Amino acid sequence: MRRVTHHADVSLRINGTDHSLSLDTRTTLLDALREQLGLTGSKKGCDHGQCGACTVLVDGRRANACLLLAVAVDGRDVTTVEGLADGEALHPLQASFVEHDAFQCGYCTPGQICSAVGMIGEVRDGWPSAVTGDLRAEPVLTDDEIRERMSGNLCRCGAYANLVPAIAEVAR
């Protein structure tokens, strides 16, 4: 039996740099980032989109890179945790996570930070969440809102107590 593989030429803009790759059409964005481009900040946790360790930003919106085929982001802007810092200067959320000790083993931290960046953008754009009280009013980023909006990112170590203050300090 002959094995058929399908390849596609994909142009990915990752952290502001263009990359041209020839990939199997079944390659996930996460695998392309880690295996083809050496960007290992996004982690492979569950490979089912349930833990959020692979969260990246696609055109500024949160996405689980393990569920997204690389061919689906052809020509779009992808930001990983490696692309958040400005040279040696940490992104404000990265610095706040350090200051608030909002991580333990650190495995989920890149996904948590990318998700928080996306979440702050959602609030800025007026998107309500499941716990937003008044859907007609601008969302207010309360601790409950942060918890709800970050619920797709799991921390197996239990660093949740410090995540909310770290995010709140930057978001507010």
Side-chain angles (χ1 to χ4, degrees):
M1 182 174 189
R2 192 177 108 203
R3 182 175 177 188
V4 177
T5 59
H6 299 281
H7 281 78
D9 292 329
V10 180
S11 177
L12 300 176
R13 184 164 184 79
I14 311 293
N15 302 326
T17 302
D18 292 321
H19 301 274
S20 295
L21 302 170
S22 180
L23 299 171
D24 184 310
T25 55
R26 300 167 294 182
T27 303
T28 64
L29 176 58
L30 179 61
D31 287 338
L33 291 170
R34 293 181 60 80
E35 297 170 15
Q36 303 295 319
L37 300 173
L39 296 171
T40 57
S42 304
K43 303 296 188 239
K44 188 175 278 204
C46 66
D47 226 10
H48 296 292
Q50 297 174 341
C51 73
C54 65
T55 304
V56 297
L57 301 169
V58 178
D59 294 334
R61 296 183 62 187
R62 299 186 274 181
N64 290 334
C66 74
L67 295 180
L68 200 53
L69 294 176
V71 296
V73 296
D74 185 31
R76 296 173 69 190
D77 286 320
V78 176
T79 304
T80 67
V81 71
E82 292 95 341
L84 293 176
D86 184 10
E88 295 296 315
L90 293 177
H91 182 281
L93 274 166
Q94 291 171 315
S96 188
F97 268 58
V98 171
E99 180 182 323
H100 288 274
D101 197 26
F103 55 90
Q104 286 184 27
C105 80
Y107 196 83
C108 71
T109 305
Q112 297 274 5
I113 291 172
C114 283
S115 189
V117 170
M119 177 211 41
I120 291 169
E122 292 165 7
V123 172
R124 182 188 60 239
D125 292 342
W127 295 10
S129 79
V131 297
T132 301
D134 182 356
L135 298 179
R136 295 172 298 201
E138 290 293 318
V140 176
L141 205 51
T142 63
D143 287 356
D144 286 340
E145 281 280 347
I146 293 171
R147 283 186 199 93
E148 170 62 24
R149 291 172 186 267
M150 293 297 294
S151 65
N153 291 80
L154 303 179
C155 173
R156 290 177 175 94
C157 297
Y160 296 114
N162 296 342
L163 287 171
V164 173
I167 294 168
E169 180 177 291
V170 174
R172 296 180 188 151

